[in-house]
Amino acid sequence: MEKSTLIGPFKQIITMTGIPIKGAVKDSELHIVSDGGIIITGSTITKIGDFELLKESDKIAETITLKGNHVCVPGFIDAHTHICFGGSRTKDYAMRNAGKSYLEIAHAGGGIWDTVTQTRKATQEELTKSTIKLANRHLKNGTTTIEVKSGYGLSIDEELKMLRAIKEANITAMPDLIPTCLAAHMLPKDFQGTETAYLSEIAERLFPILKSEKLANRIDAFIEESAFSAEDIKDYFNTARAMQFDITVHADQFTPAGSKVAVNYKAISADHLEASTDNEIAILANSNTIAVALPGASIGLGCDFTPARKLLDAGAALAIASDHNPGSAPMGDLLTQASILGTFQKLTNAEVLSGITFRAAAALKLQDRGKLEEGLLADFAVFHSDNYQDILYNQGNLKPCMVWKDGNLVYDKHN
Ligand SMILES: [Zn+2]
């Protein structure tokens, strides 16, 4: 039998057990194990309970005893990022804050197309390296699973280069990386043809390779006036569904349109939603599509936040992700951003924590993580505190002192 390790005692273990996937949550609904311990066997959790009682179990080969007060939460799950990219958009940020318009920035050589140019210039190895670096930075902040999108290649070969780089990065990066194909990010400037011509070329030529090389099981599209319309995307999403890809949508960022498309195509998630009105909120709340708020983009652009409070009160499932990307969300700090969204949208601790754990896992269709329960992956973050509320109270400035991934201690501030 594989040897088991007991870790504890934790002043509090926040398991996230028993909370529904949809709707508002009170802090009193959180399941808290006081003075608890966690037994790990291999990569999974085999028992959670009172530390002193667990110590008496004869199956434990090793006990890791923590000194001082510690709170344990599930490893955070960042369900929406663009951390595979070349170059930097520092100049865009300065220009935008100096009052320049989107068009003025684009004319000066900025915008998404700048990142496309820089990403095309980078080699696959360079993209792999930089993705690993950013993923490991997120791990130190408690994030153990990260979704990573392509979408800065915008041609068959360049999208393949990005997705191969992400696949390669996943081997070495400490967090798990979940790849998504975002070839439908925008119509590439150098494509001779219409939106639908571009999309059908991608679907015909790229989708089969995604399957054969196992590069991505998720297809994303940016539904927006400046990108693709509900009409443009029809055949693309129909093909994706027929090929059994999961669908996810960049929806309602500047104009409301995408969330309706997302629900129509039974998307796993609809992300952004800053411009969602009561109509879109109702559509999402009546669906199984997870609503994903991206406060990092609101902070990066100086725009309104996603109406997270309204979404939860209407009964939607709300996840919170960083949208970490070089243009609109350069900070890349999920915990800070989720905390800030909580203050602006009046979200409970339980709602914010749900949004970056099991509800985020659902946005990626992952059932093996997001809660601390027997049989799930031993992915968790540990904070120096005697009260879990300190985590969001510190607005991201209280960092984990330990992070465990797949049953291994991968980050330890004590050493
Ligand atoms: Zn995005």
Side-chain angles (χ1 to χ4, degrees):
M1 227 193 97
E2 221 172 338
K3 74 171 189 124
S4 295
T5 305
L6 169 65
I7 306 144
F10 298 103
K11 195 80 191 158
Q12 295 179 326
I13 301 172
I14 312 299
T15 66
M16 305 311 293
T17 295
I19 301 171
I21 191 75
K22 293 174 81 173
V25 196
K26 293 192 190 79
D27 284 353
S28 58
E29 291 176 64
L30 286 171
H31 177 239
I32 301 175
V33 180
S34 301
D35 303 313
I38 299 177
I39 299 179
I40 295 172
T41 311
S43 60
T44 57
I45 296 168
T46 41
K47 208 156 187 73
I48 294 178
D50 183 271
F51 181 73
E52 291 303 322
L53 289 177
L54 291 180
K55 249 166 76 173
E56 287 160 22
S57 162
D58 50 7
K59 293 193 186 80
I60 295 162
E62 184 197 7
T63 299
I64 297 172
T65 308
L66 304 176
K67 291 191 182 72
N69 291 322
H70 292 89
V71 172
C72 181
V73 296
F76 303 134
I77 295 169
D78 195 341
H80 182 137
T81 84
H82 307 251
I83 60 168
C84 180
F85 62 87
S88 153
R89 301 258 291 281
T90 306
K91 280 182 195 160
D92 286 22
Y93 187 79
M95 281 180 79
R96 193 161 57 235
N97 289 350
K100 300 290 183 219
S101 72
Y102 176 84
L103 275 180
E104 285 172 308
I105 293 170
H107 282 310
I112 292 181
W113 193 250
D114 181 31
T115 300
V116 173
T117 308
Q118 300 301 323
T119 305
R120 286 178 175 180
K121 271 186 201 158
T123 65
Q124 189 180 311
E125 291 68 34
E126 284 167 343
L127 292 175
T128 300
K129 259 191 173 174
S130 60
T131 304
I132 294 170
K133 201 174 158 193
L134 287 177
N136 288 346
R137 195 187 94 190
H138 284 282
L139 180 112
K140 290 182 181 177
N141 292 339
T143 302
T144 47
T145 300
I146 306 174
E147 186 261 16
V148 187
K149 297 175 195 298
S150 66
Y152 296 128
L154 304 186
S155 71
I156 308 285
D157 289 345
E158 293 295 331
E159 284 292 304
L160 281 173
K161 183 180 81 182
M162 283 193 76
L163 289 160
R164 286 170 182 150
I166 295 165
K167 186 178 181 178
E168 190 71 21
N170 189 36
I171 298 168
T172 330
M174 288 188 281
D176 284 333
L177 306 183
I178 310 294
T180 303
C181 175
L182 179 59
H185 201 179
M186 64 181 277
L187 179 67
K189 279 186 178 179
D190 55 353
F191 183 82
Q192 312 292 328
T194 62
E195 277 81 358
T196 45
Y198 170 71
L199 292 174
S200 66
E201 183 181 305
I202 295 289
E204 270 168 42
R205 293 181 50 211
L206 183 60
F207 284 7
I209 308 175
L210 300 184
K211 288 282 180 190
S212 62
E213 283 191 37
K214 292 189 167 57
L215 290 173
N217 205 29
R218 295 162 43 83
I219 300 294
D220 193 351
F222 193 12
I223 307 297
E224 191 58 61
E225 280 172 5
S226 58
F228 299 99
S229 71
E231 193 58 34
D232 292 337
I233 213 71
K234 262 187 179 170
D235 291 345
Y236 191 72
F237 275 173
N238 280 329
T239 307
R241 284 200 62 190
M243 292 179 75
Q244 259 124 47
F245 284 105
D246 290 333
I247 287 175
T248 174
V249 179
H250 278 67
D252 304 352
Q253 185 180 10
F254 303 111
T255 52
S259 52
K260 209 172 171 181
V261 175
V263 172
N264 276 346
Y265 288 92
K266 296 197 169 25
I268 307 301
S269 73
D271 306 25
H272 270 298
L273 311 174
E274 293 90 331
S276 297
T277 67
D278 290 350
N279 185 32
E280 285 74 37
I281 290 169
I283 290 170
L284 286 164
N286 287 313
S287 76
N288 291 321
T289 300
I290 312 281
V292 183
L294 305 173
S298 304
I299 296 166
L301 295 172
C303 293
D304 285 344
F305 287 101
T306 300
R309 180 73 265 150
K310 277 188 166 186
L311 281 158
L312 286 165
D313 287 343
L318 181 86
I320 305 167
S322 74
D323 193 22
H324 192 189
N325 76 72
S328 58
M331 180 206 287
D333 190 325
L334 179 62
L335 195 53
T336 300
Q337 295 163 1
S339 306
I340 292 171
L341 181 72
T343 65
F344 277 87
Q345 283 289 312
K346 300 291 168 268
L347 307 180
T348 66
N349 275 271
E351 287 164 339
V352 173
L353 291 174
S354 297
I356 56 177
T357 59
F358 73 98
R359 286 176 172 178
L364 299 174
K365 246 173 110 177
L366 299 171
Q367 277 142 15
D368 58 355
R369 65 195 77 186
K371 296 184 181 191
L372 299 175
E373 286 175 2
E374 291 172 25
L376 298 190
L377 285 178
D379 291 2
F380 48 86
V382 179
F383 294 83
H384 262 307
S385 168
D386 60 357
N387 173 4
Y388 76 93
Q389 293 173 323
D390 276 338
I391 298 171
L392 296 177
Y393 167 68
N394 280 277
Q395 299 184 304
N397 199 34
L398 179 66
K399 304 289 185 195
C401 56
M402 281 194 286
V403 180
W404 295 71
K405 175 76 193 101
D406 295 333
N408 297 310
L409 179 57
V410 288
Y411 174 64
D412 189 359
K413 213 167 146 185
H414 302 99
N415 294 321

